Amino acid sequence: MTTTHARSGETRRAAARLLLPRQRVRQFGAGLRWTGAAGAYSRAPWVLGALVCAGWAFAFPLISNLASQRAWGWSAGVGYVLAALVAALLPHGRSAGAARPIRAAVAIALLGGVVVPLVLLLVLGQAQSEVFVVQQSAVRLVHTGSPYLPHPANWTGYTPYLPGMALFGFPHLVLPAVLGDARIWFLLAFLVCLVLAWRILRGGPLAVPFAAVVASPLVALPAAVSGVDLPMIGGCILALALAGRGNAARAGVVLGLVCALKWTAWPAVPVALLLLLQVGGRKTALRGLVWTGLVGGALVLPFALAFPQAMLEQVVRFPLGLSKVRTPAGSPLPGHILAQMGPYGRTASLVLFGLSGLLVCVWLVVRPPRDARAACDRLALGVALAFLLAPAGRFGYLQLPVLLVLWPRLAVRTRRPDGGPVLVATSEDQRREVGAVHSAAPLPGVHASASAHGMAESDDSVHSRDAVHALAAVRSDRTASAASRS
């Protein structure tokens, strides 16, 4: 008898050992599916996103001929792989520590994608050519009064930016080499604009989405090796957020500053003015236009009058591939491919470029934006078509439309509702019922049962259901009291 029991016990233990790996796999899968508090942090998308970013980063050491991009690729690739492992394997705590794996993964990605490569490249003095172009334009502005060389011999002497961009080169004149590097100030301006736009859009908790966007290759790569487009992108987002709140003066000032950096920011002006028109009327839109013209004109117009040929050649013709010296920017985008087919192809590219802008303008007039997110979407479509169809363009330009679409949506998605739904009453009886609903406390049992069973519901759905239940209870009480009186 004892022998039989011992054998059966050994059999059960052997079966348990066979099932243990399968159970571990199931537990690992359950960990990836864990959604945290209110469904805010699911592991699987973060793991997948980190692996995609790692593949993107590791491609640069293989395909890029720029030392700065290759260095970024190795550092960021390792950081993204470690972030994926942490997001998948780090145990999560309870309640406040539930999102710990995601926060740790984002911090590691930020360290490997931005901090380490940026510090390394700053110390080594390596950067893409546009960083040195901006810094030299500031030197020329101080010594000659113009940020442009009158007759550049090759493409490195061209300054394809408006005069306002030279402001980011001034720290190079007064600060030590590392602290005066223009990349630091490009990134700082971008981060400030993102944070201010998030507050204006009334987004929820900022830390994780903010760090995740900055750590992504979309921002991390240009921040480490160049960053020249980052202030323009952040400024466009901030200007449209301000316009969505009807703040014409501040939106106009930001637009003026952004439009003095690169002419590719100019499409943001009609979009912002149409948004101001929808939000505040003609006077508000006119006020925004005046402030944009005053600030942008003060920074650009004196140089345009004093050095018209240099600005036309370097700021307009050179980026479009129409100058005497060809721009090295040339990713295989549709417009660039057409331009390589000869004069007819270049003409076709320019015609398509103009038609796309005209169609977007018609769409803006027919369906003007009514909030900041819609305005960012329309601007993103317009600039994306322009970058795709321009005779000379590169993939890096597309970070502007992507961030225009992404950042307002993140802010709106994380926004916390201020309270329950407001019910509109049309009669005296309904007004008394609505007053009773708004004075009633929420039903705690509903929230407790949902939490106990692991079901995550949005605040809007919970408040709406509670309001309906409370309204039904008020009406039931009124019916019962009327029946008792009769």
Side-chain angles (χ1 to χ4, degrees), residues 7 111 182 234 287 300 482:
R7 289 178 178 176
L111 186 66
R287 193 180 308 117
V300 175

Side-chain angles (χ1 to χ4, degrees), residues 196-197 200-201 235-255 272 275-276 279 284 372:
L196 292 177
I200 293 168
L201 294 170
C236 288
I237 296 173
L238 177 58
L240 292 177
L242 288 167
R245 295 290 297 273
N247 198 324
R250 294 180 182 178
V253 170
V254 175
L255 275 176
L275 179 56
L276 287 171
V279 173
T284 303

Side-chain angles (χ1 to χ4, degrees), residues 32-71:
L32 287 180
R33 292 190 298 271
W34 172 76
T35 56
Y41 298 109
S42 176
R43 287 178 184 251
W46 293 89
V47 174
L48 180 60
L51 292 176
V52 170
C53 292
W56 186 346
F58 281 132
F60 278 89
L62 302 177
I63 64 175
S64 177
N65 57 357
L66 299 177
S68 58
Q69 291 187 354
R70 293 196 298 270

Side-chain angles (χ1 to χ4, degrees), residues 270-310:
V271 177
L273 293 179
L274 282 173
L275 179 56
L276 287 171
L277 181 64
Q278 297 296 314
V279 173
R282 293 183 180 179
K283 290 184 179 180
T284 303
L286 182 61
R287 193 180 308 117
L289 178 61
V290 169
W291 278 104
T292 302
L294 288 175
V295 176
L299 293 174
V300 175
L301 195 57
F303 299 94
L305 295 176
F307 314 100
Q309 292 300 323

